[in-house]
Amino acid sequence: MTDTAVASAYDDLTADLVATSGETVTVIAPFTGEPLVELPQSSETDVASAAEAAREAQVAWFAAGAAYRREVLLRGHDLLLERRRTLLDLNQLETGKTRAQAFEEVVQAANTARYVALTAPALLRPQRRKGVLPVVTRASVDYVPKGVIGIITPWNYPVSLAGMDVLPALAAGNAVVQKADNQAALSVLALRRAFVDAGVPEALWSVVAGPGDTVGNAVVDVSDYVCFTGSTATGRKVAERAARALHGASLELGGKNPIIVLDDADLEKAAAGVAFGAFSALGQLCVSMERVYVERGIADAFIPLLVERVKALHQGPALDYSTDVGSLTSAAQLERVEAHVSDAVSKGATVLAGGTRREDLGPFFYEPTVLTDVTPDMSCFAGETFGPVLSVYIVDDEDDAIRRANDSEYGLNASVFSRSLTRAHAVARQLDAGIVNLNEPYRAAFGSVDAPMGGMKASGLGRRNGPEGILRFVDTRTIGEATVLFQMPRTGREMEQLLPVVMTLLKTMRTLRLR
Ligand code: NAD
């Protein structure tokens, strides 16, 4: 399964981890169930020393200026594309996803690198702002990097998710200490290596690996701001810990993403879109869809088309573009998916497609599964499966679809299929979701690196992507100055004398609508 170039990359990459505990963890390759790598583990002391070195490196990185950082990040972009083959291999071998989905990760990271490199310098330039009253004072705003950003990433989309947090943090002049998930550390290290070879100082972006409740906690403690991507349950713990230290945090958490197929949709395109959106990375993607709401009038025509599309997905462990869906990433994921499906079936759900393991393909392969007759007492009704299980619901009309789509603790991604963009936009505006995709399940919004991405409700706090995704990494410092033209009143008498002038000024500004 592995070629020698990839295998020899393991040693080089694991040497880049800040990990001196002497312990290792055996990472299992999902395609085969065989050991992939013995991954060194970090200690809390490693996190502290990485943060100390990062803090030192950050001073010079910020002082080098925005234009310098721009050029380094653009060179990193180029190296990332040049080295994509090794990165794609590593990513597939660690996560079990297909080549196409691994390539989507590289595209997202490259887009982010280019965007933040070219956006941050102008966005973070000092700005003039209006003073208290014209002539009397002036104000300006500096954007100051927060310092050391702690970034905790999951195993499912290591390259794009690390890229979307680390690269804007660096572009804004910060250093990063990242805790990679053991299952996806090699991909993160390969991404980092491209940027280090492009000129990012080694100590400016450290990667550690280890258990969440020790190494993860230590990352939160040493950081000035925390980015966490993972489950809602862990996100709450991270948020509590960061809040105690009065550190800000952005949290990208779970979802139970709905897709609405309206009765004027192109049914062939909608079936292909739903099949793609539900089973990308075999459903192990935060923005993949787990619920589809179909208007009653088209249900009889649409559901068979969807089932046909899902059954036609080609599944397998190929390190090329020949498959449409791959493997689940771990035994724990397989267990969770099987539990959700057997719970649903035992309570009366009907399996329209899939519903079984594919041990003939590999130990963690599970078929893309479509269920109907799913009811609120089943664990897959409201709980995130994070796997290849899609529930189909027939709804009375558009309002019923919107109400049911919003009836969730989550609010990450949603999608609407309709031939009328006016109608689709109107529905989108009523959905509780941080991103909504029209006639596409997730890539239109998720991939728009100029537009913010994140969750409403229990799906998260804060945003990545867009100017919002860069501004979370800076503090503002407002500098106000009293002009020499006018002395601000210091005493009660001076204020009394100025009162008519101030009153006239306030009223004039209101009349002229001067902000
Ligand atoms: P997880 O919460 O178990 O782990 C995520 C990361 O947090 C891992 O690196 C883990 O080691 C670390 N961690 C665990 N406990 C910690 C603690 N107490 N303190 C600090 N760090 C800790 O999530 P997972 O199972 O790896 O990922 C799947 C989940 O992530 C799903 O719920 C999925 O929806 C979500 N996710 C969300 C997004 C998004 O952008 N919203 C993206 C990808 C995944």
Side-chain angles (χ1 to χ4, degrees):
M1 194 90 249
T2 57
D3 68 23
T4 40
V6 175
S8 74
Y10 297 168
D11 290 343
D12 295 346
L13 291 173
T14 53
D16 284 350
L17 271 172
V18 182
T20 65
S21 73
E23 287 169 22
T24 61
V25 160
T26 308
V27 177
I28 300 296
F31 283 153
T32 60
E34 299 293 320
L36 179 67
V37 67
E38 280 298 316
L39 196 76
Q41 296 291 281
S42 311
S43 63
E44 286 148 291
T45 316
D46 288 327
V47 176
S49 61
E52 200 181 319
R55 216 165 270 291
E56 236 171 74
Q58 187 268 335
V59 175
W61 177 246
F62 180 53
Y68 176 79
R69 294 193 290 276
R70 178 187 62 215
E71 295 313 309
V72 171
L73 293 174
L74 288 175
R75 273 201 301 279
H77 164 281
D78 299 344
L79 284 182
L80 173 64
L81 294 187
E82 258 174 46
R83 298 175 183 183
R84 71 185 180 283
R85 280 194 190 82
T86 308
L87 203 67
L88 294 176
D89 285 352
L90 288 171
N91 191 347
Q92 283 197 270
L93 293 169
E94 288 187 315
T95 65
K97 61 166 66 89
T98 63
R99 197 72 164 178
Q101 283 139 26
F103 184 63
E104 273 186 19
E105 288 217 57
V106 171
V107 172
Q108 184 77 359
N111 263 336
T112 305
R114 189 195 66 251
Y115 175 78
V116 299
L118 298 174
T119 304
L123 181 71
L124 302 180
R125 204 173 280 152
Q127 291 180 10
R128 273 232 170 279
R129 298 289 175 93
K130 294 190 189 329
V132 183
L133 292 170
V135 186
V136 183
T137 65
R138 280 196 289 257
S140 63
V141 176
D142 289 349
Y143 292 104
V144 187
K146 287 194 179 272
V148 175
I149 310 297
I151 295 181
I152 300 174
T153 44
W155 44 264
N156 65 329
Y157 268 64
V159 176
S160 54
L161 297 175
M164 290 159 80
D165 283 341
V166 174
L167 301 176
L170 297 181
N174 296 284
V176 166
V177 176
Q178 180 182 2
K179 189 189 99 57
D181 192 283
N182 286 338
Q183 188 64 45
L186 294 174
S187 300
V188 167
L189 290 164
L191 174 73
R192 172 186 175 275
R193 185 50 38 210
F195 284 86
V196 166
D197 289 348
V200 168
E202 293 266 2
L204 193 79
W205 175 2
S206 295
V207 179
V208 293
D213 54 6
T214 53
V215 174
N217 280 346
V219 168
V220 176
D221 292 347
V222 298
S223 309
D224 303 303
Y225 184 88
V226 181
C227 300
F228 172 81
T229 307
S231 62
T232 296
T234 312
R236 283 188 211 280
K237 289 188 204 161
V238 169
E240 279 170 16
R241 200 170 178 102
R244 266 202 302 279
L246 295 182
H247 295 161
S250 62
L251 310 168
E252 304 288 347
L253 310 176
K256 185 76 187 171
N257 306 307
I259 193 160
I260 295 175
V261 183
L262 295 175
D263 57 8
D264 64 346
D266 177 325
L267 298 190
E268 287 282 355
K269 284 190 184 153
V274 175
F276 175 77
F279 302 114
S280 269
L282 218 51
Q284 302 170 114
L285 169 60
C286 54
V287 289
S288 61
M289 323 307 292
E290 297 194 0
R291 308 179 275 155
V292 57
Y293 297 100
V294 188
E295 280 202 82
R296 193 173 301 286
I298 52 158
D300 285 347
F302 175 75
I303 295 171
L305 280 179
L306 172 64
V307 170
E308 191 187 315
R309 274 281 179 173
V310 172
K311 287 184 171 167
L313 292 170
H314 180 47
Q315 188 165 25
L319 292 184
D320 59 29
Y321 291 89
S322 61
T323 55
D324 306 315
V325 282
S327 171
L328 288 168
T329 302
S330 63
Q333 277 296 103
L334 180 64
E335 204 178 300
R336 185 183 171 93
V337 169
E338 286 195 310
H340 270 207
V341 174
S342 64
D343 169 72
V345 170
S346 72
K347 291 173 180 162
T350 307
V351 178
L352 298 179
T356 51
R357 292 164 76 155
R358 288 294 306 270
E359 278 165 310
D360 56 315
L361 297 174
F364 310 140
F365 280 84
Y366 195 93
E367 284 182 330
T369 298
V370 181
L371 301 178
T372 190
D373 305 318
V374 172
T375 49
D377 56 327
M378 300 175 189
S379 45
C380 70
F381 179 84
E384 183 184 36
T385 306
F386 210 56
V389 182
L390 174 70
S391 303
V392 183
Y393 303 92
I394 297 171
V395 295
D396 294 334
D397 53 25
E398 196 178 291
D399 288 342
D400 190 23
I402 295 167
R403 187 183 55 75
R404 295 220 231 168
N406 286 341
D407 182 19
S408 168
E409 65 167 316
Y410 295 111
L412 188 58
N413 180 27
S415 165
V416 184
F417 275 78
S418 167
R419 279 202 177 85
S420 160
L421 278 179
T422 311
R423 193 176 169 206
H425 273 280
V427 171
R429 294 208 172 87
Q430 297 174 71
L431 293 173
D432 301 339
I435 57 170
V436 184
N437 290 270
L438 308 185
N439 294 320
E440 227 293 315
Y442 67 86
R443 286 175 297 191
F446 185 79
S448 298
V449 292
D450 189 29
M453 187 267 154
M456 292 183 182
K457 304 194 276 189
S459 288
L461 282 181
R463 294 292 181 264
R464 41 165 60 123
N465 282 355
E468 292 85 350
I470 299 173
L471 289 170
R472 66 191 157 138
F473 295 120
V474 288
D475 281 325
T476 54
R477 177 171 49 218
T478 296
I479 301 177
E481 86 192 58
T483 63
V484 287
L485 296 173
F486 204 85
Q487 170 75 52
M488 302 251 292
R490 306 279 206 262
T491 63
R493 280 273 163 259
E494 284 174 10
M495 181 60 96
E496 190 180 23
Q497 281 164 10
L498 265 181
L499 210 134
V501 180
V502 173
M503 288 302 290
T504 308
L505 251 173
L506 287 172
K507 286 178 183 170
T508 308
M509 287 171 76
R510 165 70 181 84
T511 306
L512 299 176
R513 293 181 174 247
L514 297 177
R515 284 188 302 119

